[in-house]
Amino acid sequence: MARPNTGGSDGSVAGWVFARDGQSIGGHPPSRALKSSGIELPGAMKTLFAKLTERDRVAVRLKVLETLERVAGHIDKISKFEGLEPVLDGLVKPQELPTPERLRRCPAEDNAIGPAKPDPRRSLDNHGIHMDTHPIHEDVPGGVPLKMWTRGVPVEDAARQQLRNAARLPIVFRHIAAMPDVHFGIGATVGSVIPTLRAVIPAAVGVDIGCGMIACKTTLTAEDLPDNLAPLREAIERAVPHGRRPGSRDPGAWGSGQKAPGTVNTAWAQLEPEFTELCRDYPKLEKTNHVQHLGTLGTGNHFIEVCLDEAGVVWFMLHSGSRGVGNFIGTMFIELAKQDAMRHQANLPDRDLAYFEEGSRYFGDYVRAVGWAQKFAAINRELMMKRVIEAAKAVIRKGFQSHVEAVNCHHNYVSKEHHFGEDVYVTRKGAVSAKAGQLGIIPGSMGARSYIVRGRGHAESFESCSHGAGRVMSRGEAKRRFTLADHRAATEGVECRKDKDVIDETPAAYKDIDAVMQAQRDLVDVVHTLKQVVCVKG
């Protein structure tokens, strides 16, 4: 198959630059001039902005924000650019536009908008965008500070308040780190890194315990894939149970329409002894979907993708966690923590932030159960990846090897670590460990790029980075706002579902992944840039 343009769906603006001194834009003569503060600007800029790819819009937004910092003393001179307000809606506010004088002073190459590079940090630097990526510091009265890697990305007020509430807990150590994909979450903020002393917060881990990513590089290239990718998608969908339909014929579980393969039973044999011990103390666990969900995808934002990297090499990637049994463990202990808090934690800023302290009745049980669920999640992803590769080998004629490079990482979990001279429990809810040299995965939405990254070991982030793009709106709001036509346009070129039941996962429901990557450029280095050609949703 032909290699897609990893720079975006519209390559028409490649090589264009902002005009200077009334000269042309990318060889296109200006059609007329816009009068703004007495400075003539080419009318062709309207056309340029209208044709910007998503990546280029990010570059413009970052450039505007950086410029505003430089011209803070000239804010009174800023005026609207006629005709650009509708295009820039959601990108920058009209009153935020930089002075025309500033645009004219910039050398042409400083404002260039060219084709995408594999590494967004390098590509934006090449365009003169040198945004400060140090965290935004916020002192929280009665609590520890917040350090937020959110420059150039939106953060809802509700998410900020959740972070402040968590910062006021007496068990939180030093500060809370917020990643650029941060957004309001059930129980606690998604995209947060919360270090605690001798205590854990079940709701900060959440109910999708051990949710994370796995990706593997193959020896295939784009040319080895069939032109029609539908059979490949269908083979993957048959191989891995996904979705949910309550009842005896649940397509997302083994045992109803599909018998579990031997690899699942072998893997369950590793997990079963510890699970049996947990069931002795919490008998209701036995009635959950445990082995029935091992090696299955789930629903919502869980996915399987076939991707191409910047060199046209094929990767397989998927996103899932501990499924039904992990959900039950998380829900049960969150409720037990709330009940315990009614007796011992009367001044909680938020009941969802109830915690277990070391030595308390449920602390040891929770740590044991959550550790088991995290193992389940990692094995679950490995089993699915094997099934995906087997399915692909049945469709792709050329033989190939997989796991040339492989990464399997959690992004909803708790781990005991050493930071700033203390042993602490680090809870990453929608965040990935990014120790120096450690590989991780940061996926975009189902129509955007994803990244294989290498951690830089940034101490202030507790050696963490974002887990993805992060939602900018709720699922309900996405369904109200976007149409099937919107979703089909946003996923053009991707072999995936394009029906009403996945509109809540449409790319526009998420933050722009390039802005997210730019905001955390001091946390990770990009190793590979992936663009999906097949996407399977639950």
Side-chain angles (χ1 to χ4, degrees), residues 32-41 79-82 100:
R32 63 183 176 87
L34 296 176
K35 296 285 185 178
S36 181
S37 300
I39 302 296
E40 291 189 346
L41 294 174
S79 60
K80 295 181 180 180
F81 288 177
E82 178 191 349

Side-chain angles (χ1 to χ4, degrees), residues 83-352:
L84 296 185
E85 293 91 329
V87 178
L88 293 173
D89 183 30
L91 183 68
V92 290
K93 297 175 182 177
Q95 63 268 26
E96 291 179 328
L97 288 167
T99 61
E101 290 86 352
R102 164 61 185 154
L103 284 176
R104 287 190 69 202
R105 283 200 307 272
C106 290
E109 63 271 19
D110 188 45
N111 291 288
I113 297 179
K117 303 296 190 297
D119 184 342
R121 298 182 308 105
R122 291 196 299 268
S123 62
L124 293 178
D125 282 344
N126 286 344
H127 297 308
I129 302 169
H130 304 291
M131 283 291 293
D132 181 7
T133 54
H134 295 300
I136 297 170
H137 183 103
E138 179 182 331
D139 289 319
V140 178
V144 300
L146 304 178
K147 295 195 176 184
M148 305 176 66
W149 279 261
T150 56
R151 295 183 188 274
V153 293
V155 182
E156 324 114 293
D157 291 339
R160 292 180 188 275
Q161 189 56 51
Q162 275 190 324
L163 290 168
R164 292 171 187 138
N165 288 342
R168 293 188 178 98
L169 294 176
I171 59 170
V172 176
F173 170 69
R174 194 174 177 92
H175 64 266
I176 287 176
M179 301 297 102
D181 57 342
V182 65
H183 62 91
F184 179 83
I186 297 174
T189 323
V190 178
S192 61
V193 182
I194 305 176
T196 50
L197 286 166
R198 296 174 291 279
V200 290
I201 310 167
V205 179
V207 297
D208 198 356
I209 300 169
C211 186
M213 300 288 304
I214 187 171
C216 74
K217 183 179 180 180
T218 75
T219 54
L220 294 170
T221 64
E223 290 72 20
D224 300 321
L225 295 179
D227 290 333
N228 181 6
L229 293 171
L232 178 57
R233 174 189 157 201
E234 291 163 3
I236 293 171
E237 289 175 338
R238 287 193 300 269
V240 179
H242 59 284
R244 182 175 182 271
R245 187 169 62 244
S248 59
R249 297 189 62 80
D250 181 0
W254 300 113
S256 52
Q258 258 184 309
K259 183 180 178 181
T263 52
V264 169
N265 295 324
T266 301
W268 178 247
Q270 302 173 39
L271 294 164
E272 189 174 23
E274 192 174 356
F275 180 72
T276 301
E277 291 180 14
L278 289 169
C279 289
R280 290 195 191 104
D281 295 326
Y282 301 93
K284 290 183 179 180
L285 272 174
E286 183 61 43
K287 298 180 180 180
T288 63
N289 282 319
H290 37 85
V291 66
Q292 302 95 321
H293 274 178
L294 186 60
T296 70
L297 184 64
T299 61
N301 62 356
H302 293 171
F303 64 82
I304 302 169
E305 289 185 344
V306 181
C307 304
L308 301 178
D309 68 13
E310 66 283 348
V313 175
V314 175
W315 290 65
F316 297 111
M317 181 170 70
L318 63 85
H319 172 213
S320 190
S322 53
R323 305 290 283 112
V325 65
N327 185 290
F328 185 90
I329 288 170
T331 301
M332 176 177 66
F333 280 102
I334 289 170
E335 188 56 37
L336 289 172
K338 289 179 180 180
Q339 293 174 14
D340 202 43
M342 292 177 68
R343 296 186 292 270
H344 306 296
Q345 301 163 20
N347 297 320
L348 276 179
D350 183 341
R351 283 193 68 231
D352 283 329

